[in-house]
Amino acid sequence: MHPQTTDHRPPGTVSAAPALSGRGLVKRYGNQHALAGVDIDIQPGEAVAIVGPSGSGKTSLLHVLAGILRADSGEILLAGTRIDQFSETKRSELRRTEFGFVFQSGMLVAELTAEENAALPLLLGGRSRGAALPAAREWLSRLGLSGKEQRRPGELSGGEAQRVAIARALAHRPKVIFADEPTGALDTRTGRDTMNALLDAAAETGAAVVIVTHDRELAESVPRTVAIRDGLIDTSAGVAR
Ligand SMILES: Nc1ncnc2c1ncn2[C@@H]1O[C@H](COP(=O)(O)OP(=O)(O)OP(=O)(O)O)[C@@H](O)[C@H]1O
Ligand SMILES: [Mg+2]
């Protein structure tokens, strides 16, 4: 008998805790409350879209959850373990090992090839080039980029560059992927394709995904939507849960 036959969590996950939780998160800039007390649970493998108007606190929430910004108060738990009190060194290690990031426009290293860009988190994590590059190439191929492994970012279209960024976010098999307006610089159709590529790839690895977007239409392709307004979860929109 296997005790976890109906468990949809990725292998190796032993705790029943959410992949990531924020509790009472407050972030202020001077008198401005970017986050005014946010509670959020993200389950292992779950995809969540954070939507809301410009300035509502979406990026602040993402950065606080990912440990890029320190909250003024509140707790953050990764698989049940408090991480908000970790030192900067420890948080930066967490970001490299447990988290993956996709930003609005790639942030690829211009001098590196597509496969080297995708392999970066593995190389930074101490893998040899001989191990890291084939793993990166495999992700590029799954994302439809076979034959473009040796191109530099300047030789790729916007959508292709975002798929390299997705490969880079996934290659080290993080527990949570954070994406801030990952399709913001793309046309509607490429944006939709890129969003689907991100969701499919994350589902393959069992990673949870937190996607910030102000595009309601794109958010509809994500199973769960959390609306944020003035730094608070907005339940009046009828989409938050
Ligand atoms: N570094 C900063 N210094 C001062 N105020 C900031 C800073 N970063 C964000 N803010 C303020 O905090 C609030 C929330 O900003 P945030 O970037 O989280 O919004 P957002 O929802 O991501 O907006 P957008 O859709 O425009 O990206 C805004 O009022 C913004 O002006
Ligand atoms: Mg933002």
Side-chain angles (χ1 to χ4, degrees), residues 181-241:
E181 304 281 1
T183 64
L186 306 174
D187 64 77
T188 310
R189 164 118 196 252
T190 312
R192 203 179 307 130
D193 292 348
T194 304
M195 184 70 105
N196 289 333
L198 171 59
L199 292 172
D200 290 349
E204 251 182 77
T205 66
V209 204
V210 187
I211 303 169
V212 162
T213 177
H214 56 240
D215 186 334
R216 288 245 169 205
E217 208 172 302
L218 271 179
E220 277 165 20
S221 56
V222 184
R224 178 181 163 206
T225 301
V226 170
I228 176 161
R229 180 174 292 273
D230 298 331
L232 285 168
I233 302 282
D234 179 10
T235 46
S236 72
V239 288
R241 65 174 169 84

Side-chain angles (χ1 to χ4, degrees), residues 55 57-60 180-181 212:
K58 304 180 299 294
T59 295
S60 302
D180 195 352
E181 304 281 1
V212 162

Side-chain angles (χ1 to χ4, degrees), residues 58-70:
K58 304 180 299 294
T59 295
S60 302
L61 177 59
L62 194 94
H63 286 185
V64 163
L65 286 172
I68 294 170
L69 275 181
R70 220 184 250 283

Side-chain angles (χ1 to χ4, degrees), residues 113-115 140 144-152 155-157 160 163-164:
T113 63
E115 66 177 26
L140 292 177
L145 291 170
S146 291
K148 297 186 174 159
E149 297 88 347
Q150 304 306 324
R151 301 237 193 131
R152 289 173 213 282
E155 300 161 341
L156 296 168
S157 73
E160 288 166 348
R163 278 183 281 148
V164 174

Side-chain angles (χ1 to χ4, degrees), residues 13-23 40-44 64-67 75-86 90-91 93-100 174-178 208 210:
T13 310
V14 288
S15 113
L20 192 68
S21 295
R23 300 259 174 275
I40 188 167
D41 280 334
I42 296 142
Q43 303 305 326
V64 163
L65 286 172
E75 299 179 358
I76 299 158
L77 295 94
L78 177 67
T81 301
R82 286 268 311 258
I83 58 169
D84 51 277
Q85 306 289 10
F86 280 10
K90 199 97 190 284
R91 285 189 297 147
E93 187 189 321
L94 264 187
R95 291 198 293 272
R96 213 175 52 235
T97 57
E98 307 289 342
F99 298 154
K175 289 199 183 63
V176 186
I177 295 163
F178 295 97
V210 187

